[in-house]
Coordinates of all heavy atoms in Angstrom, one line a residue:
M1 N 123.6 106.4 64.5 CA 123.0 107.7 64.9 C 122.2 107.5 66.3 O 121.3 106.6 66.4 CB 122.0 108.2 63.9 CG 121.5 109.6 64.2 SD 120.6 110.3 62.8 CE 118.9 109.9 63.3
P2 N 122.6 108.2 67.3 CA 121.9 108.0 68.6 C 120.4 108.5 68.5 O 120.1 109.4 67.8 CB 122.7 108.8 69.6 CG 123.7 109.6 68.8 CD 123.7 109.1 67.4
L3 N 119.6 107.8 69.4 CA 118.2 108.2 69.4 C 118.1 109.5 70.1 O 118.8 109.8 71.1 CB 117.5 107.1 70.3 CG 117.2 105.8 69.7 CD1 116.5 104.9 70.7 CD2 116.4 105.9 68.5
E4 N 117.1 110.3 69.7 CA 116.8 111.5 70.3 C 115.7 111.2 71.3 O 114.7 110.7 71.1 CB 116.1 112.5 69.3 CG 116.2 114.0 69.6 CD 115.2 114.4 70.7 OE1 114.0 114.2 70.4 OE2 115.6 114.8 71.8
L5 N 116.1 111.4 72.6 CA 115.3 110.9 73.8 C 113.8 111.2 73.7 O 113.0 110.4 73.9 CB 116.0 111.3 75.1 CG 115.4 110.7 76.3 CD1 115.6 109.2 76.3 CD2 116.0 111.3 77.6
E6 N 113.5 112.5 73.6 CA 112.1 113.0 73.7 C 111.3 112.4 72.6 O 110.2 111.9 72.8 CB 112.1 114.5 73.7 CG 112.6 115.1 75.0 CD 112.0 114.5 76.3 OE1 110.8 114.3 76.4 OE2 112.7 114.2 77.2
S7 N 111.8 112.4 71.3 CA 111.0 111.8 70.2 C 110.8 110.4 70.3 O 109.9 109.8 70.0 CB 111.6 112.3 68.9 OG 112.9 111.6 68.7
A8 N 111.9 109.6 70.8 CA 111.9 108.3 71.0 C 110.8 107.8 72.1 O 110.1 107.0 72.0 CB 113.2 107.7 71.4
K9 N 110.7 108.7 73.2 CA 109.8 108.4 74.2 C 108.4 108.6 73.7 O 107.6 107.8 74.0 CB 110.0 109.3 75.4 CG 111.3 109.0 76.3 CD 111.4 109.7 77.5 CE 111.5 111.1 77.5 NZ 111.7 111.7 78.9
A10 N 108.2 109.6 72.9 CA 106.8 109.9 72.3 C 106.4 108.8 71.4 O 105.3 108.3 71.4 CB 106.9 111.2 71.5
E11 N 107.4 108.3 70.6 CA 107.1 107.1 69.7 C 106.7 105.9 70.4 O 105.8 105.2 70.0 CB 108.3 106.8 68.7 CG 107.9 105.9 67.6 CD 108.9 106.0 66.5 OE1 109.6 106.9 66.3 OE2 108.9 105.0 65.7
I12 N 107.4 105.6 71.5 CA 107.1 104.4 72.3 C 105.7 104.6 73.0 O 104.9 103.6 72.9 CB 108.2 104.1 73.4 CG1 109.4 103.6 72.7 CG2 107.7 103.2 74.5 CD1 110.7 103.5 73.6
I13 N 105.4 105.7 73.5 CA 104.0 105.9 74.1 C 103.0 105.7 73.1 O 102.0 105.1 73.3 CB 104.0 107.3 74.8 CG1 105.0 107.4 76.0 CG2 102.6 107.7 75.2 CD1 104.7 106.6 77.2
K14 N 103.1 106.3 71.9 CA 102.2 106.2 70.8 C 102.0 104.8 70.4 O 100.9 104.3 70.3 CB 102.7 107.0 69.7 CG 101.7 107.1 68.5 CD 102.2 108.1 67.4 CE 102.3 107.2 66.2 NZ 103.0 107.6 65.0
F15 N 103.0 104.0 70.2 CA 103.0 102.6 69.9 C 102.2 101.9 70.9 O 101.3 101.1 70.6 CB 104.4 102.0 69.8 CG 104.5 100.6 69.7 CD1 104.2 99.9 68.6 CD2 104.7 99.7 70.9 CE1 104.3 98.5 68.4 CE2 104.8 98.4 70.8 CZ 104.6 97.8 69.5
C16 N 102.4 102.1 72.2 CA 101.7 101.4 73.3 C 100.3 101.7 73.3 O 99.4 100.9 73.5 CB 102.3 101.7 74.7 SG 104.0 100.9 74.9
E17 N 100.0 103.0 73.1 CA 98.5 103.4 73.1 C 97.8 102.9 72.0 O 96.6 102.5 72.1 CB 98.5 105.0 73.1 CG 98.9 105.6 74.5 CD 99.0 107.2 74.4 OE1 99.1 107.6 73.2 OE2 99.0 107.8 75.5
E18 N 98.4 102.8 70.8 CA 97.8 102.2 69.6 C 97.5 100.7 69.9 O 96.5 100.2 69.4 CB 98.6 102.4 68.4 CG 98.7 103.9 67.9 CD 99.6 104.1 66.7 OE1 100.4 103.1 66.4 OE2 99.7 105.2 66.3
K19 N 98.4 100.0 70.5 CA 98.3 98.6 70.7 C 97.5 98.2 72.0 O 97.2 97.1 72.2 CB 99.7 97.9 70.7 CG 100.5 98.2 69.5 CD 100.1 97.2 68.4 CE 101.1 97.4 67.2 NZ 100.6 96.9 66.0
S20 N 97.3 99.1 72.8 CA 96.7 98.8 74.1 C 95.3 98.2 74.1 O 94.8 97.7 75.1 CB 96.6 100.1 75.0 OG 95.7 101.0 74.5
K21 N 94.7 98.3 72.9 CA 93.3 97.6 72.8 C 93.4 96.1 72.9 O 92.6 95.4 73.4 CB 92.6 98.0 71.5 CG 92.5 99.4 71.2 CD 91.3 100.1 71.8 CE 91.1 101.6 71.4 NZ 92.0 102.5 72.1
S22 N 94.6 95.7 72.4 CA 94.8 94.2 72.4 C 95.8 93.7 73.3 O 95.7 92.5 73.7 CB 95.1 93.7 70.9 OG 96.3 94.3 70.5
K23 N 96.7 94.5 73.7 CA 97.8 94.1 74.6 C 98.1 95.2 75.6 O 98.0 96.4 75.3 CB 99.2 93.9 73.8 CG 99.2 92.6 73.1 CD 100.4 92.6 72.1 CE 101.7 92.6 72.9 NZ 102.8 92.2 72.0
S24 N 98.5 94.8 76.8 CA 98.9 95.8 77.8 C 100.4 95.8 78.1 O 100.8 96.8 78.7 CB 98.1 95.7 79.1 OG 98.3 94.5 79.7
K25 N 101.0 94.7 77.8 CA 102.5 94.5 78.1 C 103.1 94.1 76.8 O 102.6 93.4 76.0 CB 102.7 93.4 79.1 CG 102.3 93.9 80.5 CD 102.9 93.1 81.6 CE 102.3 91.7 82.0 NZ 101.0 91.8 82.4
F26 N 104.4 94.6 76.7 CA 105.1 94.4 75.4 C 106.6 93.9 75.8 O 107.1 94.4 76.7 CB 105.2 95.6 74.6 CG 103.9 96.3 74.4 CD1 103.3 97.2 75.1 CD2 103.2 95.9 73.2 CE1 102.0 97.8 74.9 CE2 102.0 96.4 72.9 CZ 101.4 97.3 73.7
Y27 N 107.1 93.1 75.0 CA 108.4 92.5 75.1 C 109.4 93.6 74.7 O 109.1 94.5 73.8 CB 108.7 91.3 74.3 CG 107.9 90.1 74.7 CD1 106.7 89.7 73.9 CD2 108.3 89.4 75.8 CE1 106.0 88.6 74.4 CE2 107.6 88.2 76.2 CZ 106.5 87.9 75.4 OH 105.8 86.8 75.9
F28 N 110.6 93.6 75.3 CA 111.6 94.5 74.9 C 111.9 94.5 73.4 O 112.0 95.6 72.8 CB 112.9 94.1 75.7 CG 114.1 95.0 75.3 CD1 114.1 96.4 75.6 CD2 115.1 94.5 74.6 CE1 115.2 97.2 75.3 CE2 116.2 95.3 74.2 CZ 116.2 96.6 74.6
N29 N 111.8 93.3 72.7 CA 112.1 93.4 71.3 C 111.0 94.0 70.5 O 111.3 94.4 69.4 CB 112.1 91.8 70.9 CG 113.5 91.2 71.3 OD1 114.4 91.9 71.6 ND2 113.5 89.9 71.3
D30 N 109.8 94.1 71.0 CA 108.7 94.9 70.4 C 109.2 96.3 70.2 O 109.0 97.0 69.2 CB 107.4 94.9 71.1 CG 106.8 93.6 71.2 OD1 107.1 92.7 70.4 OD2 106.0 93.4 72.2
F31 N 109.9 96.9 71.1 CA 110.4 98.2 71.1 C 111.7 98.4 70.2 O 111.8 99.4 69.6 CB 110.7 98.9 72.5 CG 109.4 98.9 73.3 CD1 109.4 97.9 74.4 CD2 108.4 99.7 73.0 CE1 108.2 97.9 75.2 CE2 107.2 99.7 73.8 CZ 107.1 98.8 74.8
T32 N 112.4 97.4 70.2 CA 113.7 97.4 69.4 C 113.3 97.5 67.9 O 114.1 98.1 67.1 CB 114.7 96.3 69.6 OG1 114.1 95.1 69.4 CG2 115.3 96.4 71.0
K33 N 112.2 96.8 67.5 CA 111.8 96.9 66.2 C 111.3 98.2 65.7 O 111.3 98.5 64.5 CB 110.6 95.8 66.0 CG 111.0 94.5 66.1 CD 109.8 93.5 66.1 CE 110.2 92.1 66.4 NZ 109.0 91.3 66.8
L34 N 110.8 99.1 66.7 CA 110.5 100.5 66.3 C 111.7 101.3 65.9 O 111.5 102.3 65.2 CB 109.9 101.2 67.7 CG 108.5 100.7 68.0 CD1 108.1 101.4 69.3 CD2 107.4 100.9 67.0
F35 N 112.9 101.0 66.3 CA 114.1 101.6 66.1 C 115.1 100.7 65.4 O 116.1 100.4 66.2 CB 114.6 102.3 67.4 CG 113.6 103.2 68.1 CD1 113.0 102.6 69.2 CD2 113.2 104.4 67.7 CE1 112.0 103.3 69.9 CE2 112.3 105.2 68.3 CZ 111.6 104.6 69.4
P36 N 114.9 100.3 64.2 CA 115.8 99.2 63.7 C 117.3 99.6 63.6 O 118.2 98.8 63.6 CB 115.2 98.9 62.3 CG 114.3 100.1 62.0 CD 113.8 100.7 63.4
D37 N 117.6 100.9 63.5 CA 118.9 101.4 63.4 C 119.6 101.7 64.7 O 120.8 102.1 64.7 CB 118.9 102.7 62.5 CG 118.4 102.4 61.1 OD1 118.6 101.3 60.6 OD2 117.8 103.4 60.5
A38 N 118.8 101.6 65.9 CA 119.4 101.9 67.1 C 119.9 100.7 67.8 O 119.4 99.5 67.5 CB 118.2 102.6 68.1
K39 N 120.9 100.9 68.7 CA 121.4 99.7 69.5 C 120.4 99.4 70.5 O 119.6 100.3 71.1 CB 122.7 100.2 70.1 CG 123.8 100.3 69.1 CD 125.2 100.6 69.8 CE 126.3 100.6 68.8 NZ 126.7 101.9 68.3
A40 N 120.3 98.2 71.0 CA 119.4 97.8 72.0 C 119.6 98.6 73.3 O 118.7 99.0 74.0 CB 119.6 96.3 72.3
R41 N 120.9 98.9 73.6 CA 121.2 99.7 74.8 C 120.5 101.1 74.8 O 120.1 101.6 75.8 CB 122.8 99.9 74.9 CG 123.2 100.7 76.1 CD 124.7 100.9 76.1 NE 125.4 99.6 76.3 CZ 125.9 99.1 77.5 NH1 125.8 100.1 78.5 NH2 126.4 98.0 77.6
E42 N 120.4 101.7 73.6 CA 119.8 103.0 73.5 C 118.3 102.9 73.8 O 117.6 103.8 74.4 CB 120.0 103.6 72.1 CG 121.5 104.0 71.8 CD 121.6 104.4 70.3 OE1 121.3 105.7 70.2 OE2 121.9 103.7 69.5
V43 N 117.6 101.8 73.2 CA 116.3 101.7 73.5 C 116.0 101.4 74.9 O 115.0 101.9 75.5 CB 115.7 100.4 72.5 CG1 114.3 100.2 72.8 CG2 116.0 100.7 71.1
K44 N 116.8 100.6 75.5 CA 116.7 100.3 77.0 C 116.8 101.6 77.8 O 116.0 101.8 78.7 CB 117.9 99.4 77.4 CG 117.9 99.0 78.8 CD 117.1 97.8 79.1 CE 117.3 97.3 80.4 NZ 116.2 96.5 80.9
K45 N 117.7 102.5 77.4 CA 117.8 103.9 78.1 C 116.5 104.6 78.0 O 116.0 105.2 79.0 CB 118.9 104.7 77.5 CG 120.3 104.1 78.0 CD 121.4 105.0 77.5 CE 122.8 104.6 77.9 NZ 123.9 105.3 77.2
V46 N 115.8 104.6 76.8 CA 114.6 105.3 76.6 C 113.5 104.7 77.5 O 112.8 105.4 78.2 CB 114.1 105.3 75.1 CG1 112.8 106.0 75.0 CG2 115.2 105.9 74.3
L47 N 113.4 103.4 77.5 CA 112.4 102.7 78.3 C 112.6 102.9 79.8 O 111.8 103.2 80.6 CB 112.5 101.2 78.1 CG 111.8 100.8 76.7 CD1 112.2 99.3 76.3 CD2 110.3 100.9 76.7
T48 N 113.9 102.9 80.3 CA 114.2 103.2 81.6 C 113.8 104.6 82.0 O 113.3 104.8 83.1 CB 115.7 103.0 81.9 OG1 116.1 101.7 81.5 CG2 116.1 103.3 83.3
A49 N 114.0 105.5 81.1 CA 113.6 107.0 81.4 C 112.1 107.0 81.5 O 111.6 107.7 82.5 CB 114.1 107.9 80.2
L50 N 111.4 106.3 80.7 CA 109.9 106.3 80.8 C 109.4 105.6 82.1 O 108.5 106.2 82.7 CB 109.3 105.6 79.6 CG 109.3 106.4 78.3 CD1 109.0 105.5 77.1 CD2 108.3 107.6 78.4
V51 N 110.1 104.6 82.6 CA 109.7 104.0 83.8 C 110.0 104.9 85.0 O 109.2 105.1 85.9 CB 110.6 102.6 84.0 CG1 110.3 102.1 85.5 CG2 110.0 101.6 83.0
Q52 N 111.2 105.6 84.9 CA 111.5 106.5 86.0 C 110.5 107.7 86.1 O 110.3 108.2 87.1 CB 112.9 107.1 85.8 CG 114.0 106.0 86.1 CD 115.4 106.5 85.7 OE1 115.6 107.3 85.1 NE2 116.3 105.7 86.3
E53 N 110.1 108.1 85.0 CA 108.9 109.2 84.9 C 107.6 108.7 85.2 O 106.6 109.4 85.2 CB 109.0 109.8 83.5 CG 110.2 110.6 83.1 CD 110.3 110.9 81.6 OE1 109.2 110.9 81.0 OE2 111.4 111.3 81.2
E54 N 107.5 107.4 85.5 CA 106.3 106.7 85.9 C 105.2 106.8 84.7 O 104.0 106.7 85.0 CB 105.7 107.2 87.2 CG 106.6 107.0 88.3 CD 106.1 107.4 89.7 OE1 105.0 108.0 89.7 OE2 106.7 107.2 90.6
K55 N 105.7 106.8 83.4 CA 104.8 106.8 82.3 C 104.6 105.4 81.9 O 103.6 105.1 81.2 CB 105.3 107.6 81.1 CG 105.3 109.2 81.5 CD 105.9 110.0 80.3 CE 105.8 111.5 80.7 NZ 106.6 112.3 79.8
M56 N 105.6 104.6 82.3 CA 105.5 103.2 81.9 C 105.9 102.3 83.1 O 106.5 102.8 84.0 CB 106.5 102.9 80.7 CG 106.0 103.4 79.4 SD 106.9 102.8 78.0 CE 106.2 101.2 77.9
V57 N 105.5 101.0 83.1 CA 105.9 100.2 84.2 C 106.7 99.0 83.7 O 106.6 98.6 82.5 CB 104.6 99.6 84.9 CG1 103.9 100.7 85.7 CG2 103.7 99.0 84.0
F58 N 107.6 98.5 84.5 CA 108.5 97.4 84.2 C 107.9 96.2 84.8 O 107.5 96.2 86.0 CB 109.9 97.7 84.7 CG 110.9 96.7 84.6 CD1 111.6 96.4 83.5 CD2 111.2 96.0 85.8 CE1 112.5 95.4 83.4 CE2 112.1 95.0 85.7 CZ 112.8 94.8 84.6
W59 N 107.8 95.1 84.1 CA 107.3 93.9 84.7 C 108.2 92.7 84.4 O 108.7 92.6 83.3 CB 105.9 93.6 84.2 CG 105.2 92.4 84.7 CD1 104.5 92.2 85.8 CD2 105.3 91.0 84.2 NE1 104.1 91.0 86.0 CE2 104.6 90.2 84.9 CE3 105.9 90.5 83.0 CZ2 104.5 88.8 84.7 CZ3 105.7 89.1 82.7 CH2 105.0 88.3 83.6
S60 N 108.5 91.9 85.4 CA 109.4 90.8 85.2 C 108.9 89.5 85.9 O 108.4 89.6 87.1 CB 110.8 91.1 85.6 OG 111.7 89.9 85.6
S61 N 108.9 88.4 85.2 CA 108.5 87.2 85.9 C 109.7 86.4 86.3 O 109.5 85.2 86.9 CB 107.7 86.3 84.8 OG 108.6 85.9 83.8
G62 N 110.9 86.9 86.1 CA 112.1 86.2 86.4 C 112.8 85.9 85.2 O 114.0 86.0 85.0
S63 N 112.1 85.3 84.2 CA 112.6 84.9 83.0 C 112.2 85.8 81.9 O 113.0 85.9 80.8 CB 112.3 83.5 82.6 OG 110.8 83.3 82.5
T64 N 111.1 86.5 81.9 CA 110.5 87.3 80.9 C 110.5 88.8 81.5 O 110.0 89.0 82.5 CB 109.2 86.9 80.5 OG1 109.3 85.6 80.0 CG2 108.7 87.7 79.3
T65 N 110.9 89.7 80.6 CA 110.8 91.1 81.1 C 109.9 91.8 80.0 O 110.0 91.6 78.8 CB 112.2 91.8 81.0 OG1 113.0 91.2 81.9 CG2 112.1 93.3 81.3
M66 N 108.9 92.5 80.5 CA 108.0 93.2 79.7 C 107.8 94.7 80.2 O 108.1 95.0 81.4 CB 106.6 92.6 79.7 CG 106.8 91.1 79.1 SD 105.2 90.3 79.0 CE 104.7 90.7 77.3
Y67 N 107.2 95.5 79.4 CA 107.0 97.0 79.6 C 105.5 97.3 79.3 O 105.0 96.6 78.3 CB 107.9 97.8 78.9 CG 109.4 97.7 79.3 CD1 110.2 96.8 78.6 CD2 109.9 98.5 80.2 CE1 111.5 96.6 79.0 CE2 111.2 98.4 80.6 CZ 112.0 97.4 79.9 OH 113.3 97.3 80.3
G68 N 104.9 98.1 80.0 CA 103.6 98.5 79.7 C 103.3 99.9 80.1 O 104.1 100.5 80.9
L69 N 102.3 100.5 79.6 CA 101.9 101.9 80.1 C 101.4 101.8 81.5 O 100.7 100.9 81.9 CB 100.7 102.4 79.2 CG 101.1 102.8 77.8 CD1 99.9 103.2 76.9 CD2 102.1 104.0 77.8
A70 N 101.8 102.8 82.3 CA 101.4 102.8 83.7 C 99.9 103.0 83.8 O 99.3 103.6 83.0 CB 102.1 104.1 84.4
G71 N 99.2 102.1 84.6 CA 97.8 102.2 84.9 C 97.0 101.5 83.8 O 95.7 101.6 83.8
V72 N 97.6 100.7 82.9 CA 96.9 100.0 81.9 C 97.0 98.5 82.1 O 98.2 98.1 82.3 CB 97.3 100.4 80.5 CG1 96.7 99.6 79.4 CG2 97.2 101.9 80.3
G73 N 96.0 97.7 81.9 CA 96.1 96.3 81.9 C 96.0 95.7 83.3 O 95.7 96.4 84.3
K74 N 96.2 94.4 83.4 CA 95.9 93.6 84.6 C 97.0 94.0 85.7 O 96.7 94.0 86.8 CB 96.2 92.2 84.3 CG 95.0 91.7 83.6 CD 95.2 90.1 83.3 CE 94.1 89.6 82.5 NZ 94.3 88.2 82.0
Q75 N 98.3 94.4 85.2 CA 99.3 94.8 86.2 C 98.9 96.0 87.0 O 99.4 96.3 88.1 CB 100.7 94.9 85.6 CG 101.0 96.3 85.0 CD 100.6 96.4 83.5 OE1 99.9 95.6 83.0 NE2 101.0 97.5 83.0
A76 N 98.1 96.8 86.4 CA 97.6 98.1 87.1 C 97.0 97.8 88.5 O 97.2 98.6 89.4 CB 96.7 98.9 86.3
A77 N 96.3 96.7 88.5 CA 95.6 96.3 89.8 C 96.6 95.9 90.8 O 96.4 96.0 92.0 CB 94.6 95.3 89.6
A78 N 97.7 95.2 90.4 CA 98.7 94.7 91.3 C 99.8 95.7 91.7 O 100.5 95.4 92.6 CB 99.4 93.4 90.5
E79 N 99.9 96.9 91.0 CA 100.9 97.8 91.3 C 100.6 98.3 92.8 O 99.6 98.5 93.2 CB 100.9 99.0 90.4 CG 101.4 98.7 89.0 CD 101.1 99.7 88.0 OE1 100.9 100.9 88.4 OE2 101.2 99.4 86.8
G80 N 101.7 98.4 93.5 CA 101.7 98.8 94.9 C 101.5 97.7 95.9 O 101.3 98.0 97.1
E81 N 101.5 96.5 95.5 CA 101.2 95.3 96.4 C 102.5 95.1 97.2 O 103.6 95.4 96.8 CB 100.9 94.1 95.7 CG 99.5 94.1 95.2 CD 99.1 92.8 94.6 OE1 99.9 91.9 94.5 OE2 97.9 92.6 94.2

């Protein structure tokens, strides 16, 4: 069953806000666990939509890819460099 985009985006934002006290960035696999019945590609599409809407930011070290809420955590200071 395909993910419903708007409800999936809301669930991801809620998850990040709840966890933001202890973490500001999350691995892709943290989000796939939220939707155990969804394909990874579907979860990726939801995350990409959130990044395009500037609600979330994409961070990559080259080997590790992470996502976080826009304006939260250490990466917020580095955005726009």
Side-chain angles (χ1 to χ4, degrees):
M1 184 173 100
L3 286 176
E4 201 284 297
L5 187 63
E6 292 307 314
S7 64
K9 288 196 295 192
E11 190 162 340
I12 286 174
I13 295 290
K14 186 177 121 195
F15 169 80
C16 291
E17 287 172 344
E18 287 172 357
K19 302 282 187 196
S20 67
K21 306 275 184 285
S22 58
K23 286 172 63 165
S24 63
K25 289 200 276 301
F26 304 90
Y27 293 103
F28 176 69
N29 287 344
D30 293 334
F31 299 110
T32 59
K33 290 175 192 164
L34 289 176
F35 308 101
D37 299 331
K39 293 186 171 96
R41 179 181 293 259
E42 292 178 83
V43 178
K44 180 90 169 154
K45 284 181 182 176
V46 176
L47 287 166
T48 299
L50 286 165
V51 170
Q52 288 172 342
E53 292 169 15
E54 298 182 359
K55 291 180 180 165
M56 294 192 71
V57 292
F58 171 82
W59 180 87
S60 176
S61 68
S63 60
T64 302
T65 300
M66 300 183 91
Y67 295 86
L69 288 172
V72 176
K74 291 179 184 171
Q75 86 273 8
E79 285 169 20
E81 282 183 358

